[in-house]
PDB file of all heavy atoms in Angstrom:
ATOM      1  N   ALA A 148      18.814 -15.159   3.488  1.00 91.00           N
ATOM      2  CA  ALA A 148      19.670 -14.417   4.413  1.00 91.00           C
ATOM      3  C   ALA A 148      18.914 -14.017   5.680  1.00 91.00           C
ATOM      4  O   ALA A 148      19.496 -13.977   6.761  1.00 91.00           O
ATOM      5  CB  ALA A 148      20.241 -13.187   3.720  1.00 91.00           C
ATOM      6  N   LEU A 149      17.628 -13.725   5.553  1.00 91.00           N
ATOM      7  CA  LEU A 149      16.846 -13.359   6.731  1.00 91.00           C
ATOM      8  C   LEU A 149      16.778 -14.503   7.730  1.00 91.00           C
ATOM      9  O   LEU A 149      16.741 -14.282   8.940  1.00 91.00           O
ATOM     10  CB  LEU A 149      15.432 -12.942   6.327  1.00 91.00           C
ATOM     11  CG  LEU A 149      15.305 -11.700   5.445  1.00 91.00           C
ATOM     12  CD1 LEU A 149      13.832 -11.428   5.144  1.00 91.00           C
ATOM     13  CD2 LEU A 149      15.969 -10.495   6.043  1.00 91.00           C
ATOM     14  N   GLU A 150      16.772 -15.730   7.222  1.00 89.00           N
ATOM     15  CA  GLU A 150      16.750 -16.901   8.107  1.00 89.00           C
ATOM     16  C   GLU A 150      17.973 -16.933   9.011  1.00 89.00           C
ATOM     17  O   GLU A 150      17.929 -17.463  10.103  1.00 89.00           O
ATOM     18  CB  GLU A 150      16.673 -18.189   7.283  1.00 89.00           C
ATOM     19  CG  GLU A 150      15.342 -18.400   6.616  1.00 89.00           C
ATOM     20  CD  GLU A 150      14.214 -18.539   7.622  1.00 89.00           C
ATOM     21  OE1 GLU A 150      14.391 -19.228   8.642  1.00 89.00           O
ATOM     22  OE2 GLU A 150      13.156 -17.937   7.392  1.00 89.00           O
ATOM     23  N   GLY A 151      19.084 -16.351   8.551  1.00 91.00           N
ATOM     24  CA  GLY A 151      20.308 -16.306   9.340  1.00 91.00           C
ATOM     25  C   GLY A 151      20.385 -15.107  10.265  1.00 91.00           C
ATOM     26  O   GLY A 151      21.451 -14.813  10.815  1.00 91.00           O
ATOM     27  N   GLY A 152      19.280 -14.377  10.422  1.00 93.00           N
ATOM     28  CA  GLY A 152      19.256 -13.254  11.345  1.00 93.00           C
ATOM     29  C   GLY A 152      19.665 -11.923  10.744  1.00 93.00           C
ATOM     30  O   GLY A 152      19.820 -10.942  11.468  1.00 93.00           O
ATOM     31  N   LEU A 153      19.835 -11.867   9.432  1.00 96.00           N
ATOM     32  CA  LEU A 153      20.197 -10.611   8.787  1.00 96.00           C
ATOM     33  C   LEU A 153      18.945  -9.777   8.534  1.00 96.00           C
ATOM     34  O   LEU A 153      17.831 -10.282   8.587  1.00 96.00           O
ATOM     35  CB  LEU A 153      20.912 -10.876   7.455  1.00 96.00           C
ATOM     36  CG  LEU A 153      22.151 -11.773   7.503  1.00 96.00           C
ATOM     37  CD1 LEU A 153      22.790 -11.844   6.135  1.00 96.00           C
ATOM     38  CD2 LEU A 153      23.146 -11.292   8.532  1.00 96.00           C
ATOM     39  N   VAL A 154      19.143  -8.499   8.262  1.00 96.00           N
ATOM     40  CA  VAL A 154      18.060  -7.618   7.849  1.00 96.00           C
ATOM     41  C   VAL A 154      18.351  -7.149   6.438  1.00 96.00           C
ATOM     42  O   VAL A 154      19.502  -7.168   5.981  1.00 96.00           O
ATOM     43  CB  VAL A 154      17.885  -6.407   8.793  1.00 96.00           C
ATOM     44  CG1 VAL A 154      17.586  -6.870  10.210  1.00 96.00           C
ATOM     45  CG2 VAL A 154      19.081  -5.487   8.762  1.00 96.00           C
ATOM     46  N   GLY A 155      17.318  -6.718   5.736  1.00 95.00           N
ATOM     47  CA  GLY A 155      17.494  -6.230   4.370  1.00 95.00           C
ATOM     48  C   GLY A 155      16.611  -5.029   4.117  1.00 95.00           C
ATOM     49  O   GLY A 155      15.699  -4.731   4.895  1.00 95.00           O
ATOM     50  N   VAL A 156      16.903  -4.326   3.033  1.00 95.00           N
ATOM     51  CA  VAL A 156      16.090  -3.198   2.587  1.00 95.00           C
ATOM     52  C   VAL A 156      15.665  -3.513   1.164  1.00 95.00           C
ATOM     53  O   VAL A 156      16.510  -3.775   0.304  1.00 95.00           O
ATOM     54  CB  VAL A 156      16.863  -1.869   2.669  1.00 95.00           C
ATOM     55  CG1 VAL A 156      16.036  -0.727   2.100  1.00 95.00           C
ATOM     56  CG2 VAL A 156      17.256  -1.576   4.117  1.00 95.00           C
TER      57      VAL A 156
END
Side-chain angles (χ1 to χ4, degrees):
L149 297 180
E150 289 298 318
L153 305 184
V154 300
V156 176

